[in-house]
Amino acid sequence: MASYLNADLHCHSVASDGTLTPEALAQRAKLAGVELWALTDHDEVSGQQRAMAAARSQGLPYLTGVEISITFAGQTVHIVGLGFDAADTLLVEGLRQTRGGRGERAREMSEQLAQAGIPGAYEGALKYVGNPELISRTHFARYLVEAGVCSDTNEVFRRFLTEGKPGYIPHRWATLGDAVTWITRAGGLAVIAHPARYKFTPNEEYALFSEFKHHGGLGVEVVTGSHLPSEYVKYAEMAMEFGLAASRGSDFHSPDESRIDLGALPYLPGQLTPVWELLSERIHH
Ligand code: AMP
Ligand code: MN
Ligand code: MN
Ligand code: MN
């Protein structure tokens, strides 16, 4: 399969911090002309069976997916897994442990927001949560918009919930080695998600890419809704330099919030090896 495939291998459903069901996403992807789809909820594979069944009924080829939160060099990094066995015990148990600290973290976030003059944020955020094990900053952001504190969720992440701002609670997630190993042992391919989003020094970024490869990681997102076009060029070069396959995904969360819709990104640059070329055996038709 060529680079010129409308693959969308990164998006979120109500099983994490998206607002659409797996079925609604499958339908939206099909209508948008997506030719290969993966649902990649944060730290959660409970939506995979529904996504696969919905994709099949739409005639949409499907890869299993997940987006795992890890801590690397003091920052949160996301590792996408594609084409794994969603029932794999090591993966499922690892993800369950990764999700474990979210409830406590959410209560601490709420306390800090209350001190900043915004009471009731935990209860407010809960109204938006589709999966009780997966309360996320996105759910708090939706509540802060509802409460009139900010006019949209982008403003929330500029003024709150991020390092140095009210409502930010540092959290220790899984390690890079854990995430890559869980994905790989479950038969899947690990991908560094939206690398331009991290605030690493060049040395730290080099360490992320080389340690990721050392653990068996094989891919990097190049064309993503979280990158600017200039960043597609930079990470296409990084993919070549590190011998990594390239992935493409909108990171779609919601029709009201997401800048880039399912299937709406440019194609991968032609000189790259697309991740789907390495995953052809893992695609569900
Ligand atoms: P959490 O996993 O609870 O730390 O929440 C992370 C989620 O918050 C991400 O997956 C995004 O959906 C959202 N998010 C984080 N930072 C930003 C940002 N700067 N702008 C918009 N959304 C963000
Ligand atoms: Mn998210
Ligand atoms: Mn992410
Ligand atoms: Mn994402």
Side-chain angles (χ1 to χ4, degrees), residues 133-210:
E133 282 186 41
L134 215 118
I135 182 162
S136 123
R137 285 185 288 160
T138 313
H139 303 116
F140 279 84
R142 290 184 186 134
Y143 173 66
L144 293 189
V145 173
E146 177 201 315
V149 176
C150 292
S151 57
D152 59 39
T153 55
N154 288 327
E155 185 189 341
V156 176
F157 285 104
R158 282 196 302 274
R159 292 178 48 206
F160 300 93
L161 311 184
T162 48
E163 201 170 345
K165 310 285 163 62
Y168 179 71
I169 300 293
H171 192 74
R172 188 154 284 284
W173 303 103
T175 67
L176 177 63
D178 284 340
V180 175
T181 305
W182 297 339
I183 294 162
T184 310
R185 292 234 192 120
L189 187 146
V191 178
I192 300 173
H194 43 61
R197 280 260 300 269
Y198 314 123
K199 296 186 178 85
F200 287 134
T201 63
N203 281 344
E204 287 168 335
E205 185 176 68
Y206 185 89
L208 172 66
F209 275 67
S210 39

Side-chain angles (χ1 to χ4, degrees), residues 12 16-18 42 67 78 136 138 251 253:
H12 299 274
S16 65
D17 62 349
H42 295 286
E67 181 176 21
H78 288 165
S136 123
T138 313
D251 207 355
H253 283 69

